[in-house]
Amino acid sequence: MSNILIAEDEAGISGFIEKGLRANGFSPTTVTDGATALDHAATGDFDLLVLDIGLPDADGFEVLRRLREARNSIPVVILTARDSVDDTVAGLDGGADDYMSKPFRFEELLARIRLRLRAANSPTTTIVRNGDLALDLRTRRAYVSGRPVELTTREFLLAELLLRHPDQVLTREQLLSHVWGYDFDPGSNVVDVYVRYLRRKIGAERIETVRGVGYRLVHASRRMTKV
């Protein structure tokens, strides 16, 4: 049975989520402020955190920031009335695994919780490499020629997806779906912006633009033949 921590200060919403989770075999616990959410998440007793942004004491963004700074990898699903693209990007970039806007359907929240729990429990390779570019999936750190490179959460996930599919063209829609996990406007340029950020940090020559389609990571062997 998975233990779910709910950080939500609206009793009606937290009660609704608790009831639904219990009916589906989960063990939920609710807290109503940011400080208590941090204390509970730090115990390691919970498998996932449903986090409201508008909490007293410390808001959800602060809770998320402090969790990730402490290397706490608990999956986090943000649940909030804020639905602007800026807020969504801020939440995901800050280390959230998913983002849902209020009002919401419980069935969708349940599906997202199950998805994140499956991902967290799936055995994965610790290191993903392509030439001298390496990602440590356990510590969420990147290295270029053995030198550590600081990547944001979204930059890391984008790099990971590209490394797992070297020389394969990935469309902008695929990148949006797998990296952001959110229904962005198809016309959004968020993918292009983050590819630009990533190129600055790992080397522009590693990522090719396929005009009108998307991007691909150049396999190290092919990149070396161009030098």
Side-chain angles (χ1 to χ4, degrees):
M1 179 183 294
S2 296
N3 297 318
I4 308 298
L5 179 61
I6 304 165
E8 170 62 65
D9 62 340
E10 294 186 36
I13 294 176
S14 61
F16 171 66
I17 297 172
E18 276 195 33
K19 181 179 179 181
L21 289 176
R22 283 200 184 92
N24 283 275
F26 294 95
S27 177
T29 299
T30 296
V31 297
T32 58
D33 63 83
T36 307
L38 281 168
D39 289 342
H40 278 58
T43 65
D45 294 336
F46 296 92
D47 301 294
L48 182 140
L49 169 60
V50 177
L51 178 63
D52 181 40
I53 293 299
L55 294 173
D57 269 0
D59 71 12
F61 288 131
E62 176 69 9
V63 170
L64 187 58
R65 182 185 67 79
R66 290 170 63 179
L67 283 173
R68 297 318 188 213
E69 284 181 351
R71 302 289 180 186
N72 189 322
S73 60
I74 183 174
V76 176
V77 176
I78 288 180
L79 187 64
T80 179
R82 304 183 189 181
D83 60 357
S84 72
V85 172
D86 287 344
D87 281 327
T88 303
V89 171
L92 294 173
D93 232 16
D97 297 272
D98 214 333
Y99 196 108
M100 286 192 65
S101 299
K102 301 174 183 176
F104 62 94
R105 295 183 61 184
F106 177 77
E107 291 79 6
E108 182 180 359
L109 175 61
L110 180 63
R112 294 189 185 215
I113 287 174
R114 285 173 169 162
L115 175 64
R116 299 307 164 189
L117 288 173
R118 283 198 302 271
N121 293 325
S122 296
T124 57
T125 304
T126 302
I127 304 292
V128 179
R129 296 182 182 276
N130 183 47
D132 61 352
L133 174 62
L135 301 180
D136 187 324
L137 305 182
R138 183 177 58 83
T139 63
R140 314 297 285 179
R141 291 176 180 168
Y143 300 87
V144 175
S145 299
R147 176 177 55 87
V149 177
E150 287 293 328
L151 299 181
T152 67
T153 298
R154 292 308 117 181
E155 289 168 352
F156 189 95
L157 291 175
L158 178 60
E160 179 186 348
L161 184 59
L162 289 167
L163 258 73
R164 288 186 181 278
H165 301 86
D167 272 343
Q168 178 179 332
V169 179
L170 299 176
T171 68
R172 288 174 175 81
E173 290 76 17
Q174 287 175 312
L175 295 170
L176 275 173
S177 173
H178 286 81
V179 176
W180 279 263
Y182 189 79
D183 295 328
F184 275 89
D185 178 353
S188 168
N189 69 340
V190 66
V191 171
D192 307 287
V193 170
Y194 274 81
V195 167
R196 187 163 64 247
Y197 292 161
L198 195 56
R199 279 172 166 161
R200 290 173 185 168
K201 295 182 178 182
I202 69 172
E205 73 283 358
R206 298 179 191 274
I207 304 175
E208 285 185 344
T209 301
V210 180
R211 190 174 299 278
V213 182
Y215 298 95
R216 70 176 156 216
L217 184 86
V218 180
H219 195 283
S221 59
R222 186 161 65 89
R223 187 161 52 85
M224 291 300 292
T225 62
K226 292 182 177 181
V227 177

